[in-house]
């Protein structure tokens, strides 16, 4: 993709986000995580040259290859499912959005404890109970919030959610409001949970209206994969 085209797309997305913040009334700051999966290192560099500092990848191996090729101080986000035997890869990421099970949390906690610096993570929540999406359902969040409060190897900064692809506006709002409540529940349990990672290319404006602090955008910036 040519850099001028990306600059225009970013401008337009930033304007749409700013308008959605005003409509939603939450007054939050919104970070764009540029999702570069399936694109090469040159796409990461183009994003960087246009002021993007946060980049998201959903597969560990693909991400590590790009990190080695790019050599820029990018803030790297892991947004896809992580297998427990690959937690060591989190040493290369700044924030993992996809803490999606108690067993993964245990493995991440071991990593953070052993290295002496907690892993920054978001709890992935599944609000409408789609089994394929993974993550904690609403009833599981409270129990896990309490358990995670005792883990010095994890610093829980908020929640991430994905809405169903075919959701109408009403369902989207239900999902995003549910995620916001889950985030507030973590905060009430003593976690430094300020982040709400929700909103992709097709639903980010509604997510921002509902309080998203991080939007994860691929297609709207880089075109179809
Ligand atoms: C691919 C992906 C995105 C970006 O999707 P787009 O619709 O292309 O913006 C966001 N979040 C996750 C978890 C993804 O896997």
């Amino acid at each position: 993709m040519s850099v001028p085209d990306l600059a225009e797309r970013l401008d337009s997305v930033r304007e749409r986000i700013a308008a959605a913040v005003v409509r939603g009334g939450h007054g939050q700051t919104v970070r764009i995580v540029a999702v570069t999966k399936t694109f090469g290192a040159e796409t990461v560099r183009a994003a960087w040259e246009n002021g993007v500092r946060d980049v998201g990848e959903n597969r560990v191996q693909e991400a590590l290859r790009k990190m080695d090729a790019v050599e820029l101080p990018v803030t790297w986000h892991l947004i896809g499912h992580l297998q427990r035997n690959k937690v060591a890869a989190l040493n290369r990421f700044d924030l993992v959005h996809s803490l999606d099970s108690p067993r993964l949390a245990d493995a991440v906690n071991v990593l953070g404890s052993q290295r002496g610096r907690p892993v920054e993570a978001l709890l992935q929540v599944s609000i409408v109970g789609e089994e394929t999406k993974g993550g904690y359902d609403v009833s599981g969040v409270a129990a896990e919030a309490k358990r995670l409060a005792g883990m010095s190897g994890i610093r829980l900064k908020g929640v991430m959610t994905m809405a169903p692809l075919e959701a109408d506006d009403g369902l989207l709002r239900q999902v995003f409001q549910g995620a916001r409540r889950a985030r507030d529940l973590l905060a009430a349990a003593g976690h430094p949970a300020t982040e709400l990672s929700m909103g992709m290319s097709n639903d980010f404006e509604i997510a921002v209206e509902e309080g998203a602090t991080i939007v994860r955008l691929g297609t709207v910036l880089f075109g179809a994969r």
Side-chain angles (χ1 to χ4, degrees):
M1 151 171 301
S2 75
V3 171
D5 197 13
L6 178 56
E8 265 172 38
R9 289 181 185 206
L10 272 165
D11 278 350
S12 152
V13 162
R14 286 180 181 127
E15 274 172 27
R16 288 166 68 187
I17 289 172
V21 169
V22 172
R23 285 195 303 275
H26 291 280
Q28 80 275 32
T29 302
V30 181
R31 218 174 350 157
I32 296 173
V33 171
V35 178
T36 49
K37 66 187 185 198
T38 78
F39 293 98
E42 72 287 352
T43 300
V44 179
R45 281 189 212 101
W48 176 271
E49 281 157 16
N50 283 282
V52 173
R53 295 294 172 263
D54 295 273
V55 171
E57 289 281 336
N58 68 333
R59 290 171 190 271
V60 166
Q61 293 308 324
E62 182 183 346
L64 296 181
R65 277 199 304 276
K66 265 173 246 186
M67 288 170 183
D68 291 339
V70 169
E71 294 184 334
L72 289 166
V74 168
T75 298
W76 290 98
H77 299 251
L78 181 62
I79 61 174
H81 175 68
L82 176 65
Q83 289 173 293
R84 278 179 299 138
N85 60 0
K86 296 212 179 112
V87 289
L90 292 181
N91 287 326
R92 307 280 307 271
F93 289 89
D94 298 285
L95 181 65
V96 53
H97 294 224
S98 42
L99 200 64
D100 60 5
S101 76
R103 293 175 76 198
L104 178 62
D106 287 338
V108 172
N109 182 42
V110 168
L111 175 78
S113 304
Q114 285 179 347
R115 75 182 187 181
R117 177 170 55 91
V119 175
E120 305 223 319
L122 306 180
L123 204 66
Q124 184 173 343
V125 298
S126 173
I127 302 300
V128 289
E130 276 191 315
E131 281 176 14
T132 53
K133 288 272 160 68
Y136 292 85
D137 60 23
V138 175
S139 63
V141 172
E144 190 66 344
K146 200 170 172 193
R147 203 178 70 94
L148 287 169
M151 292 189 184
S152 60
I154 296 178
R155 187 171 155 82
L156 202 56
K157 300 200 70 182
V159 306
M160 181 273 259
T161 201
M162 272 186 279
L165 270 181
E166 304 297 323
D168 60 21
D169 285 11
L171 183 58
L172 286 175
R173 287 192 194 279
Q174 192 188 321
V175 167
F176 295 146
Q177 287 164 11
R180 197 172 72 220
R181 278 195 296 273
R183 193 260 326 254
D184 294 347
L185 200 152
L186 297 185
H191 295 283
T194 54
E195 302 286 2
L196 205 39
S197 169
M198 59 191 195
M200 305 175 28
S201 290
N202 58 347
D203 58 18
F204 72 90
E205 285 164 297
I206 292 180
V208 169
E209 286 176 24
E210 296 297 342
T213 63
I214 299 176
V215 291
R216 308 177 309 268
L217 305 177
T219 311
V220 72
L221 297 180
F222 308 118
R225 287 182 291 273

